[in-house]
Amino acid sequence: LRLGATQIKLAAGGGVSSTYDPLDVSQFTEAEMKAAVDAAENWGTYVTVHAYTPRAIQTALRAGVRCIDHAQLIDDATAKMLADKKAWLSLQPFIDEGKSLYAEGSPNRIKQQAMMSGTDKAYNFAKKYNIKTAFGTDCLFEPEHSAKRAGDLVKLLRWYKPYEILKMATSTNAELLAMSGPRNPYPNKLGVIEEGAYADILLVDGNPIANLNVLEDYEKTLLLIVKDGVVYKNILDK
């Protein structure tokens, strides 16, 4: 936090990419997570956690964690607890498309497949309990593909309408960032087009509310890109 962090993130449970922690383990006690929550709250911000399983998620929620990243293996009771606590989900549409960074049959691939098997249920629980849900990509390990993640938005059509998806990726995500309070590096409004907000604008050739797939061919369909008032792309005259 002294070095400028806006939130604290803990690995509350096991992960896919990490070699030495199975998916089913919890990695902090409730008291340890509560200490992190207290430290974050002392700085006016919050804690989010990497967690897949009910045990890891419930421990985090009891400690006062405000957001759960992933949660693919969540169950009904834990989803209800998350809703009752008014915590957030930062979910990713991880589905098994047969492509992986990990060799078939390897321990990491087996963990990845187990995690992906819960994605559909996780989104359905989020909708069932009206949980505040953010859009994430988790593209840390695939920088060469990070510019192509519009496909992740399209994957969400399995659970949401195009308008709901666009709202999730813009103004809803902005709400989650704003929870960092005085640590928020974006003091003006995000996710809206109005006076006093950041001038972040995309002009699209097509109607993504009717057809979200137009965003996949972004080189052609994104005609204008403006971030904080600076024009980064403009092919309107072409």
Side-chain angles (χ1 to χ4, degrees), residues 122-224:
Y123 275 109
N124 285 323
F125 283 140
K127 294 183 68 176
K128 176 181 178 180
Y129 289 107
N130 197 29
I131 297 168
K132 239 356 177 178
T133 305
F135 167 72
T137 61
D138 202 41
C139 62
L140 175 65
F141 300 107
E142 301 177 73
E144 69 277 15
H145 301 307
S146 62
K148 302 177 182 178
R149 303 304 287 224
D152 286 355
L153 287 173
V154 174
K155 290 175 188 175
L156 289 172
L157 289 170
R158 297 163 182 254
W159 305 284
Y160 300 97
K161 297 176 181 178
Y163 169 78
E164 295 174 313
I165 296 167
L166 292 169
K167 183 176 183 294
M168 183 189 298
T170 53
S171 61
T172 302
N173 274 8
E175 287 181 50
L176 179 58
L177 291 173
M179 283 168 45
S180 55
R183 308 284 78 79
N184 186 358
Y186 307 105
N188 297 335
K189 287 187 177 181
L190 285 171
V192 297
I193 298 177
E194 64 180 55
E195 185 176 353
Y198 293 100
D200 295 342
I201 301 168
L202 299 178
L203 188 61
V204 183
D205 184 10
N207 183 1
I209 292 178
N211 178 19
L212 196 63
N213 297 75
V214 300
L215 295 178
E216 289 192 291
D217 194 11
Y218 57 88
E219 292 284 4
K220 293 181 179 179
T221 58
L222 288 185
L223 305 179
L224 178 69

